Amino acid sequence: MSAGLLGCMTTPSQGNRVPDGALYACDNGRFGKGWPGPERWWAWLTATVDRYGADRCLWAVAPDVPMDAEATLSDSRPWLAPIRALGVPVAYAAQDGSQAPGLIPWDEIDVLFLAGSTEWKTGPYAAQLAGEAVRRGKTVHMGRVNSRRRLRLAHHMGCTTADGTYLAFAPDVNLPRLLAWTRELTTAPTLPI
């Protein structure tokens, strides 16, 4: 992280410290068991940005409802302006069904976070939304990227960032592999495999 090759993803339930000088992103913990509820999430988010600085924050993702595009829009929309008021880019978690008209609040977000089921986020609808995001000048991120193949697919779809738990398991072995994968993205043609 200190070399600027990797950033730090943080969530309310992790309790980890962002390393000095590292870029970081704030997820909300809705996928899994880390969602503390809206009030505690907001307190955590504001404290995190205050502690580490808005200038180092890549983005903060608004509350979402995994695999449910309509519920995500309903839960996220009230938080988009408050996140932006913190001085950080606003990320919106696209879910299964987000390809339907009106389910991405394009004018209110900075980052399209490809979330949802594995089948959806690696499929044609997510790829179309990623392309639209890029056309609109938005950043694209993919969650749960834990393999070389998935990282290459995310890159091919236009993602400039991705996260996953790959390094949490055998980091001494997996860090060199992950760094090699990221080098491939800048030195070799990217084709989905």
Side-chain angles (χ1 to χ4, degrees):
M1 285 185 218
S2 61
L5 300 174
L6 300 174
C8 180
M9 176 72 85
T10 187
T11 69
S13 66
Q14 285 177 326
N16 58 350
R17 188 181 67 77
V18 174
D20 292 339
L23 296 175
Y24 69 99
C26 297
D27 200 349
N28 59 41
R30 286 299 288 261
F31 186 84
K33 300 177 182 174
W35 175 244
E39 293 81 17
R40 289 181 58 209
W41 163 76
W42 182 249
W44 166 82
L45 180 60
T46 57
T48 299
V49 172
D50 285 345
R51 180 176 182 184
Y52 300 113
D55 60 321
R56 290 173 42 205
C57 186
L58 296 170
W59 43 261
V61 67
D64 60 311
V65 179
M67 289 26 123
D68 190 328
E70 290 182 15
T72 291
L73 182 60
S74 178
D75 280 14
S76 289
R77 191 162 246 157
W79 295 103
L80 303 179
I83 292 170
R84 178 159 289 120
L86 292 175
V88 301
V90 177
Y92 182 82
Q95 304 288 346
D96 299 47
S98 287
Q99 69 276 6
L103 292 182
I104 303 289
W106 292 111
D107 294 337
E108 302 170 61
I109 67 170
D110 306 298
V111 178
L112 183 69
F113 185 126
L114 298 177
S117 68
T118 298
E119 295 74 26
W120 185 84
K121 76 176 179 184
T122 60
Y125 292 129
Q128 290 167 1
L129 286 175
E132 180 64 19
V134 170
R135 280 189 290 284
R136 290 172 176 260
K138 313 293 181 185
T139 299
V140 184
H141 174 88
M142 184 182 286
R144 299 189 327 272
V145 174
N146 293 302
S147 68
R148 176 180 177 264
R149 182 178 190 276
R150 182 81 50 87
L151 185 63
R152 289 176 60 87
L153 177 63
H155 182 72
H156 178 74
M157 290 171 67
C159 297
T160 56
T161 59
D163 74 85
T165 57
Y166 184 74
L167 285 181
F169 306 98
D172 291 343
V173 173
N174 289 337
L175 178 59
R177 287 180 185 161
L178 180 60
L179 292 174
W181 298 346
T182 61
R183 279 191 303 274
E184 284 179 14
L185 298 179
T186 60
T187 60
T190 303
L191 300 172
I193 297 172

